[in-house]
Amino acid sequence: MKGYNTVYFLKEGVKSIFQRGFMSFAAVTVIIACLLISGSFALVAYNVNELIAEAEQQNELLAFVDETLSDTEALGLAGSIYAVSNVKSAEFVSADQAFVDYSEELGDDADLLEGLDGDALRHRYRILVNDLEQTEQTAEELEQIQGIAKVRYSYELADGIVTMRNIVNVITWLIGALLLVVSVFMISNTVKLATFDRREEIAIMKMVGATNMFIRWPFIVQGFLLGMMGGLVAFFAQWGIYTYAGKIILQYAPVFELIPFGSIAITMLVAFLVVGFIVGVLGGVTTIRRFMRV
Amino acid sequence: MVRFGNVYKNYPNGTRALKGVDIRIDDGEFVFLVGPSGSGKSTVIKLITAEEKATNGKILVNGYNVTSLRSSQIPKLRRTLGVVFQDFRLIENKTVYENVAFAMRVIGASSRRIKQRVPVILELVGLAHKAKRFPHELSGGEMQRVSIARALINNPQVILADEPTGNLDPVRSKEIMMLLEKINELGTTVIVVTHERDIVNSFSKRVVALDGGKVVSDATGGYYQV
Ligand SMILES: Nc1ncnc2c1ncn2[C@@H]1O[C@H](COP(=O)(O)OP(=O)(O)OP(=O)(O)O)[C@@H](O)[C@H]1O
Ligand SMILES: [Mg+2]
């Protein structure tokens, strides 16, 4: 494409934006709102996923070994444990070691140890799973193993977090898809108005032999610019909102520390601009296809 | 160069606008296309520009086989044509200069070539001194000159004018016809649709008369009969 044509398309695209300034403003605002809503949900989902990853690290199962087994036999159970499909890792902890760990952990409250049940005297395996959702089933399978007396795990934590993640993920995708459609619709309407404003110019362009692409480019550029503007503004707004939300959360629920925005800023910017680009160009292209038979 | 071979045109609503039209116009000719209202004159123009498709028959325009033209080729055909309408069709918020330059701009001409050519064409139609005016600041005759300048700007082989004087008084009409005659003398083929008997008869040109979708007379140096 020749350079002066590109300049022409840009100029005409910008002109169309200002010709219907209010409509353009509305379209960009809607895109920003859409991106912010989906972006916020995506950020929540991302943080929840990180929480889960962390929980997965901590959410171990304890498989207690039957005390009738010898130490060698207890160590030999590792093979059977690893044979359970969902098991990621299994670490043998002797009863003595466990006792030491407990006392260290409890420190001054060491006298609590006196109240410990019989499990305290058993060897055990600390087991991590791949998929938290199948924790319950995995525990049952582990209990089937000859020599494992009992399996303990905090089921509720696992189940609650996973449900929450699934809900947030579904909501994120649903809202994202819905708002994408709304955004395309807004751009499409703005571009439609521009083709209406320029119907006489378009008629003359066709008459003197302008190619279809030449006629269409300014409208594609218009959609593109609107989309990119939306993406860019939304990014900075999202940045502000996220940082602010982080402060509030830190104030009221210091256990939940948000992932710092800096570590996801580039991904977020690229995502917003790509969505802006797609929404803009899609809005432009669908409109001229439907309303400008050239 | 325009050739119609046994051309039929039926509009979707069933109107049979052309019923077997044969016309042959060679390069450099000046032709009046006359006939009563509804006889099919504008339809002929629209078939030449590929704005409408012939129902049957063969149309050749400046080497393009219009009846079997792919839509991607239509812009190329149109660049060999300059079209002038009764209602001028100027862009209101563009100056005279910009209206003419626009037609060059949108087929991809560079600013340098536009700056060279537009003043030359405005000079030719006698509007160099009004280049910065807007359409609403012009008389009807002047507006039609702008529209003729726009039709000429891309150096077409054929000018098609559909009732170019329909909105003008007799004196302005005569002037416009003389301008078209001058353009023809410079080498461009000119086809003028009109039903103004006096004007046709005051020029001694070829006259093709349509009636009821058929060519009823075609005489060089002829008069507007019927
Ligand atoms: N788009 C259309 N759809 C249906 N019928 C049409 C269309 N355009 C023209 N016609 C009909 O075709 C016939 C020829 O029309 P055309 O416009 O070619 O006539 P014309 O000779 O230019 O008339 P006028 O001198 O009034 O401009 C008329 O009966 C007209 O009503
Ligand atoms: Mg007509």
Side-chain angles (χ1 to χ4, degrees):
Chain A
M1 192 189 300
K2 297 196 188 86
Y4 52 82
N5 283 343
T6 312
V7 172
Y8 172 81
F9 298 142
L10 270 172
K11 253 170 44 188
E12 295 300 302
V14 170
K15 213 162 85 184
S16 282
I17 289 174
F18 285 105
Q19 211 162 10
R20 294 283 183 151
F22 180 75
M23 193 65 195
S24 306
F25 176 76
V28 172
T29 308
V30 168
I31 294 171
I32 293 171
C34 290
L35 281 172
L36 281 181
I37 294 169
S38 343
S40 299
F41 270 96
L43 284 172
V44 169
Y46 185 59
N47 273 286
V48 169
N49 278 332
E50 283 296 294
L51 268 182
I52 288 175
E54 228 169 90
E56 264 163 357
Q57 283 304 312
Q58 291 160 4
N59 205 37
E60 59 188 17
L61 288 81
L62 288 181
F64 295 99
V65 179
D66 202 320
E67 57 265 44
T68 59
L69 265 63
S70 71
D71 288 4
T72 331
E73 280 172 324
L75 275 165
L77 287 175
S80 319
I81 290 172
Y82 272 110
V84 174
S85 58
N86 194 27
V87 170
K88 188 161 84 184
S89 67
E91 183 197 352
F92 180 77
V93 182
S94 69
D96 294 346
Q97 183 60 42
F99 187 79
V100 173
D101 288 352
Y102 268 133
S103 4
E104 269 176 13
E105 219 173 283
L106 293 171
D108 288 345
D109 301 327
D111 48 328
L112 283 177
L113 283 172
E114 287 162 19
L116 276 178
D117 57 16
D119 290 342
L121 303 170
R122 288 169 162 167
H123 298 311
R124 80 273 324 260
Y125 280 89
R126 308 169 83 161
I127 296 168
L128 295 177
V129 294
N130 290 314
D131 183 1
L132 267 189
E133 261 175 288
Q134 291 178 29
T135 300
E136 192 179 9
Q137 198 193 328
T138 307
E140 275 167 18
E141 281 176 49
L142 287 169
E143 275 179 341
Q144 303 293 316
I145 297 173
Q146 282 283 326
I148 297 290
K150 184 175 170 185
V151 176
R152 216 168 63 191
Y153 65 98
S154 41
Y155 168 73
E156 274 141 299
L157 174 65
D159 207 36
I161 289 184
V162 168
T163 312
M164 177 163 153
R165 169 177 63 182
N166 291 345
I167 290 175
V168 172
N169 280 350
V170 168
I171 291 181
T172 304
W173 283 109
L174 277 182
I175 290 190
L178 189 77
L179 296 183
L180 205 70
V181 172
V182 174
S183 304
V184 171
F185 177 76
M186 281 302 287
I187 295 258
S188 165
N189 267 320
T190 314
V191 173
K192 189 164 89 185
L193 272 182
T195 62
F196 180 77
D197 289 337
R198 289 161 170 259
R199 60 196 182 285
E200 285 169 351
E201 281 181 36
I202 292 171
I204 290 162
M205 288 166 103
K206 288 189 210 174
M207 187 183 80
V208 301
T211 60
N212 288 350
M213 265 334 278
F214 194 99
I215 298 175
R216 287 170 177 169
W217 266 117
F219 300 104
I220 298 174
V221 168
Q222 182 193 2
F224 166 80
L225 289 176
L226 290 172
M228 289 311 241
M229 255 188 278
L232 205 62
V233 175
F235 168 73
F236 286 108
Q238 184 78 76
W239 189 346
I241 291 172
Y242 189 77
T243 310
Y244 184 71
K247 273 187 199 144
I248 301 271
I249 289 172
L250 203 63
Q251 205 173 334
Y252 292 101
V255 263
F256 295 108
E257 199 184 333
L258 290 187
I259 301 152
F261 195 77
S263 68
I264 43 174
I266 298 291
T267 319
M268 206 77 196
L269 180 64
V270 170
F272 275 21
L273 289 183
V274 165
V275 172
F277 175 86
I278 292 172
V279 164
V281 171
L282 207 67
V285 169
T286 51
T287 308
I288 53 184
R289 283 211 166 274
R290 272 200 302 155
F291 295 96
M292 220 172 68
R293 297 249 166 263
V294 278
Chain B
M1 178 270 284
V2 175
R3 302 253 188 297
F4 272 49
N6 201 23
V7 172
Y8 286 79
K9 173 64 186 174
N10 301 339
Y11 282 107
N13 68 358
T15 307
R16 300 174 63 206
L18 298 183
K19 304 166 188 167
V21 169
D22 288 291
I23 306 175
R24 177 196 166 112
I25 297 167
D26 290 322
D27 288 340
E29 279 199 83
F30 189 116
V31 178
F32 282 120
L33 190 57
V34 304
S37 186
S39 56
K41 307 181 296 292
S42 296
T43 300
V44 168
I45 300 292
K46 286 176 185 160
L47 288 176
I48 294 174
T49 61
E51 200 180 317
E52 291 286 350
K53 256 181 110 65
T55 311
N56 226 318
K58 208 164 167 57
I59 302 174
L60 273 172
V61 177
N62 297 332
Y64 288 91
N65 193 338
V66 180
T67 30
S68 62
L69 203 60
R70 286 205 318 267
S71 59
S72 62
Q73 295 291 306
I74 291 177
K76 288 190 182 167
L77 162 73
R78 292 189 180 156
R79 287 177 195 197
T80 70
L81 303 169
V83 191
V84 176
F85 298 97
Q86 178 172 356
D87 55 359
F88 321 131
R89 301 200 189 170
L90 301 178
I91 299 165
E92 281 302 321
N93 57 13
K94 289 193 194 297
T95 63
V96 167
Y97 181 96
E98 288 164 351
N99 263 284
V100 178
F102 180 70
M104 254 184 116
R105 187 66 277 244
V106 299
I107 63 164
S110 70
S111 307
R112 198 169 51 83
R113 277 186 43 220
I114 293 172
K115 279 191 198 117
Q116 282 170 354
R117 183 153 169 87
V118 175
V120 176
I121 297 298
L122 285 181
E123 187 68 45
L124 176 71
V125 301
L127 274 181
H129 61 296
K130 303 222 162 153
K132 292 201 172 73
R133 299 286 181 86
F134 286 92
H136 68 267
E137 299 172 309
L138 303 176
S139 71
E142 287 167 341
M143 283 197 263
Q144 196 55 294
R145 283 167 190 275
V146 178
S147 131
I148 290 171
R150 183 180 61 195
L152 274 177
I153 195 72
N154 293 319
N155 201 19
Q157 295 173 47
V158 179
I159 292 275
L160 305 165
D162 194 350
E163 312 220 17
T165 61
N167 286 348
L168 306 178
D169 64 53
V171 180
R172 300 305 138 214
S173 298
K174 191 81 194 268
E175 284 172 9
I176 290 294
M177 286 303 176
M178 284 164 68
L179 175 60
L180 288 171
E181 189 179 34
K182 180 167 120 191
I183 288 162
N184 173 243
E185 280 160 6
L186 292 171
T188 310
T189 309
V190 174
I191 302 172
V192 182
V193 170
T194 184
H195 43 216
E196 285 176 73
R197 190 180 307 262
D198 295 343
I199 289 203
V200 173
N201 291 347
S202 68
F203 289 81
S204 184
K205 301 287 184 192
R206 177 177 166 195
V207 180
V208 175
L210 283 176
D211 198 358
K214 287 181 177 161
V215 176
V216 291
S217 84
D218 183 348
T220 303
Y223 289 92
Y224 189 162
Q225 292 130 359
V226 188

